Amino acid sequence: MVEESGRRKRPNILVTGTPGTGKTTTCTALAEATQLRHINVGDLVRDKNLHDGWDDELDCFVLNEDLVCDELEDQMEEGGNIVDYHGCDFFPERWFDCVVVLQTDNTVLYDRLSRRGYNESKLSNNIECEIFQVLLEEAKESYPEDRVIAMKSDTIEDINRNVSTLTDWVRNWHLTS
Ligand code: ADP
Ligand code: MN
């Protein structure tokens, strides 16, 4: 593992969390601060058709994991990426030097997702996902625990603090790896 990441000049970061926890907002700011490349996996799946059709029940594309991993492999090997997705168990473990799990208070998240126009079932699925810390568990099962970090994302101050912490981490990365 040390050898794998040692070949990269810049780190790869995965930012995950329940929809609405602020992944895209955080990644956009972090990419601007660090000049790392922001990869929004949801957009990529839609734009490059990396899916097996639409799931009416879940109201989203059925992501094709193999197509997504093939599409990203070269860039990930090169390093310097911030990957933005509400799932993390199908990416190769060796891709990421840091896995950030954003977490939001349930009532705050409920308001954000209602504003997004989510229907009742999508709303309750996502709130439940947050209550049971599904993404944190998934991250801990899929990556070494010392690479996984949970960060609170309730307010703009939280985002600013998280971005600044991660920017420092990126700047120091070559010293620690
Ligand atoms: P995700 O990419 O995880 O689905 P977004 O970054 O798109 O989440 O954020 C969803 C909405 O919630 C946006 O309108 C964003 O401005 C708002 N938001 C996200 N995180 C925060 C936060 N920590 N504080 C205040 N507003 C936030
Ligand atoms: Mn997003």
Side-chain angles (χ1 to χ4, degrees):
M1 195 57 229
V2 171
E3 252 179 43
E4 291 282 352
S5 63
R7 264 185 257 135
R8 291 195 275 269
K9 281 213 181 68
R10 290 185 306 164
N12 290 324
I13 302 172
L14 174 62
V15 178
T16 189
T18 307
T21 51
K23 298 182 295 297
T24 301
T25 311
T26 302
C27 290
T28 302
L30 184 61
E32 200 172 294
T34 59
Q35 300 301 307
L36 299 191
R37 186 195 293 123
H38 177 193
I39 300 175
N40 186 322
V41 174
D43 291 350
L44 189 76
V45 164
R46 189 195 57 216
D47 297 344
K48 299 213 165 184
N49 277 312
L50 311 176
H51 58 79
D52 300 319
W54 185 259
D55 184 326
D56 278 327
E57 202 168 321
L58 291 178
D59 194 30
C60 63
F61 283 115
V62 183
L63 173 145
N64 182 308
E65 300 176 352
D66 293 337
L67 290 180
V68 170
C69 290
D70 285 351
E71 174 72 27
L72 292 176
E73 179 63 47
D74 289 351
Q75 281 181 324
M76 295 307 294
E77 205 164 302
E78 200 181 304
N81 302 287
I82 306 166
V83 174
D84 169 351
Y85 194 60
H86 57 264
C88 63
D89 60 356
F90 63 92
F91 301 118
E93 185 194 309
R94 67 191 149 77
W95 276 5
F96 297 107
D97 304 290
C98 176
V99 177
V100 176
V101 183
L102 296 180
Q103 298 191 303
T104 301
D105 175 82
N106 303 321
T107 55
V108 175
L109 186 63
Y110 189 93
D111 290 342
R112 279 187 207 156
L113 294 178
S114 317
R115 249 180 274 134
R116 244 187 202 180
Y118 277 22
N119 63 37
E120 256 332 295
S121 93
K122 208 169 172 179
L123 257 174
S124 51
N125 279 343
N126 282 302
I127 295 298
E128 206 167 278
C129 173
E130 188 62 7
I131 290 173
F132 290 108
Q133 304 199 315
V134 171
L135 267 307
L136 183 61
E137 291 309 315
E138 187 176 320
K140 282 182 178 169
E141 276 167 23
S142 310
Y143 300 91
E145 203 140 342
D146 64 346
R147 243 179 277 167
V148 177
I149 172 169
M151 290 181 147
K152 190 161 83 78
S153 178
D154 291 344
T155 63
I156 296 296
E157 289 71 42
D158 291 334
I159 294 208
N160 291 340
R161 194 190 50 248
N162 294 340
V163 168
S164 131
T165 303
L166 291 168
T167 301
D168 287 346
W169 180 86
V170 169
R171 295 214 173 110
N172 290 318
W173 181 74
H174 62 286
L175 304 173
T176 58
S177 64

